Amino acid sequence: MLHRLLVHVLAEKNQFSEKICDKLPEISMETRRSPANKVPTIESWLRKHTLAYTGATGHLFIHSIRDGTLDLTLFKRWMEQDYIFERALVPFAASVLVKAWKASDDGSDMEAILGGMASLNDELAWFKNEASKWGISLSGIVPHDAIIRYCRFMESLMGLEVEYTVAITAVWAIQTVYHDGFIHCSEEDSKKPKELRETCKRWASDAFGDYCLSLQEIANMCLEKAPDDVVSKAEVVFLSVLEHEVEFWNMGYGKA
Ligand code: HMH
């Protein structure tokens, strides 16, 4: 699967890489609690895996929303499948909440995750509302293989044996990749159709960005304290999220 991801990334060398690279020093400035002179783990991964990261955030599907060239039937398919994904994200987030409650020293991690769950609740209501505008029925949708695989992956991280550090890294990656993807559609020169404005705003908003940054800060603090094998596991999980996101967009683009 990693091979396929790399082929995809190399085949679609995209225009966003430069911008993401520009953003990295800025991101690292925002992570305040790591010791001076040490690049926080997540920032070091983003530098090391820039190509894979931008392959997920700058996929053709995102380009085509931004350029206003996306076929709206593909967009409807995205909406149906993403609704299934979001529903599966709820129990995963709940499992991470339990781990935060057990593992974290203060209550702030738990509050950040709980806030994210409240947003998920709003998002599910938003999907239902938006789907009715598009004439889409959200019941009885058959999940695409890419979604089934992505949901299974999240389920595999729900067990109590999976460290909190690994699970919170996955939540950070899942949310941040989406945020950074949709941010491109919200840039001023974007030609996205007005029907897609709401969608882009939902994941590109500053509020969602702040939530992603708080997840990043929590994950970095956990990674700072974690033994090497757990840090390696978390890095593999981060890369797996990128692969699943690319597969997800490939599905939306009708490639798979
Ligand atoms: C596939 N990844 C996918 N869907 C989403 N809605 C998010 C991430 C962010 O919530």
Side-chain angles (χ1 to χ4, degrees), residues 64-131:
S64 61
I65 295 180
R66 184 183 193 281
D67 300 343
T69 55
L70 181 70
D71 176 346
L72 291 181
T73 53
L74 294 184
F75 178 74
K76 288 186 190 176
R77 177 148 60 143
W78 165 82
M79 180 165 288
E80 291 171 352
Q81 297 294 324
D82 209 41
Y83 175 70
I84 299 181
F85 176 83
E86 285 269 337
R87 287 181 68 92
L89 194 49
V90 176
F92 176 47
S95 75
V96 181
L97 185 81
V98 173
K99 286 175 188 167
W101 171 61
K102 292 201 171 174
S104 117
D105 305 333
D106 63 39
S108 62
D109 287 24
M110 210 176 81
E111 284 161 26
I113 297 160
L114 185 60
M117 291 185 75
S119 307
L120 275 178
N121 190 33
D122 291 346
E123 252 156 47
L124 289 177
W126 175 85
F127 267 102
K128 285 184 195 152
N129 191 33
E130 202 66 13

Side-chain angles (χ1 to χ4, degrees), residues 78 81-83 85-86 89 120 123 127 147 150 171 173-179 182 203 208 211 241 244-245 248-249 251:
W78 165 82
Q81 297 294 324
D82 209 41
Y83 175 70
F85 176 83
E86 285 269 337
L89 194 49
L120 275 178
E123 252 156 47
F127 267 102
I147 292 293
Y150 205 165
V171 179
I174 290 168
Q175 302 292 29
T176 304
V177 165
Y178 233 53
H179 175 64
F182 275 104
W203 285 282
F208 193 70
Y211 166 58
V241 168
H244 283 293
E245 288 288 326
F248 174 80
W249 291 126
M251 167 225 40

Side-chain angles (χ1 to χ4, degrees), residues 1 150 153 235-245:
M1 206 169 175
Y150 205 165
F153 164 74
E235 186 172 3
V236 169
V237 158
F238 163 55
L239 291 173
S240 302
V241 168
L242 299 183
E243 290 173 26
H244 283 293
E245 288 288 326

